[in-house]
Amino acid sequence: MTSIDLNADLGESYGAWRLGDDRALLDVVTSANLACGFHAGDPTTLLETARLAASRRVALGAQVSYPDLRGFGRRDLDLPAADLLADVIYQVGALQGIAAAAGTHVLYLKPHGALYNRVVHDEVQAAAVVDAVIAVDPTLAIVGLPDSEIGRLAEAEGLRFVPEAFADRAYRPDGTLVPRSEPGAVLHDPVEIAERMLRLATEGILTAVDGTDIALSAETVCVHGDTPGAVAVARAVRAALEGAGLTIAAFTAR
């Protein structure tokens, strides 16, 4: 691997409730997963964040979610496929309008929270997301967990699927994420996280929560904007990867 993308979940403030340091993260990452209003992000916040991303030439993606503002999109909702399809179309369309007003474009889609984890194994829900992309803009890439249903379905439909790793999350031995409800699910030490991501980028290996090594291929690495210390984590990861000779660039540019 000679090049890798760094992405962050941004635009998650809502009204008077402020979350994360989007401005600082946009100076570090190369792709921005922008909330679409269903789990976070009011229109003013989204427009401001899209403008900041455009000014820094950071690639913009739609982070779509279940309709769950109260639960920050982290509660699993058993939506009918037709409803999920329409919800994803609605969210992407809204962000496309925001992006146009900010002088940029939506280039990819990434599910958020419970939906992200659901489409790893749920073929019906994964198909609804893939069908929504096909309906709105089949040039959009889809970001998700490697070896997932959504990845398999996206590639079967001729869409670009971009496998992702999480810098600040612990992994199970099967390559899935440790649920946030369990101890140790979220990592916080920038030095430890940077070392993990450097090994991932150079060896394709991550250490799971039980101490075993797992093979994992990723084209992009995510830092959650709502994780405490996210900016320090992102800077540490970028410095470690660049120090090893890797180019940090948006996957959409490749």
Side-chain angles (χ1 to χ4, degrees):
M1 182 181 293
T2 60
S3 177
I4 194 165
D5 175 55
L6 293 182
N7 75 75
D9 301 342
L10 303 177
E12 293 179 326
S13 296
Y14 197 92
W17 180 56
R18 311 308 296 173
L19 182 65
D21 190 344
D22 290 359
R23 186 179 295 271
L25 280 169
L26 283 167
D27 288 331
V28 182
V29 301
T30 43
S31 295
N33 320 314
L34 199 56
C36 297
F38 271 39
H39 77 277
D42 63 80
T44 302
T45 293
L46 301 184
L47 182 58
E48 291 174 350
T49 308
R51 285 172 171 164
L52 287 172
S55 70
R56 289 158 173 77
R57 297 185 178 179
V58 172
L60 196 66
Q63 189 166 40
V64 299
S65 169
Y66 288 129
D68 183 27
L69 273 175
R70 182 169 292 184
F72 197 62
R74 288 179 176 159
R75 298 183 294 188
D76 197 2
L77 303 182
D78 195 21
L79 292 186
D83 289 347
L84 181 57
L85 169 72
D87 283 354
V88 172
I89 290 172
Y90 184 96
Q91 291 176 80
V92 174
L95 193 62
Q96 286 175 326
I98 290 285
T104 186
H105 301 86
V106 176
L107 298 176
Y108 65 93
L109 175 148
K110 174 183 169 180
H112 165 81
L115 180 59
Y116 186 100
N117 292 318
R118 181 74 173 266
V119 297
V120 170
H121 58 82
D122 188 320
E123 182 177 1
V124 173
Q125 299 263 295
V129 176
V130 169
D131 288 346
V133 171
I134 293 170
V136 174
D137 183 358
T139 70
L140 298 179
I142 297 178
V143 174
L145 211 64
D147 300 319
S148 59
E149 280 296 321
I150 193 169
R152 180 184 65 80
L153 292 171
E155 291 177 343
E157 293 290 346
L159 304 179
R160 182 181 180 187
F161 179 73
V162 180
E164 177 181 42
F166 288 88
D168 50 8
R169 293 294 305 277
Y171 280 76
R172 290 170 163 170
D174 65 355
T176 60
L177 301 176
V178 174
R180 286 179 177 269
S181 58
E182 296 182 12
V186 180
L187 308 179
H188 298 282
D189 183 352
V191 174
E192 175 195 0
I193 292 171
E195 290 174 350
R196 284 169 59 85
M197 293 303 101
L198 180 58
R199 189 181 185 203
L200 170 72
T202 57
E203 301 177 33
I205 299 293
L206 273 182
T207 301
V209 70
D210 67 348
T212 60
D213 286 341
I214 55 175
L216 194 145
S217 175
E219 295 181 41
T220 184
V221 170
C222 176
V223 175
H224 286 94
D226 66 309
T227 296
V231 176
V233 168
R235 288 172 176 163
V237 170
R238 178 157 189 158
L241 296 176
E242 288 182 326
L246 277 77
T247 300
I248 309 303
F251 64 81
T252 50
R254 301 196 292 272

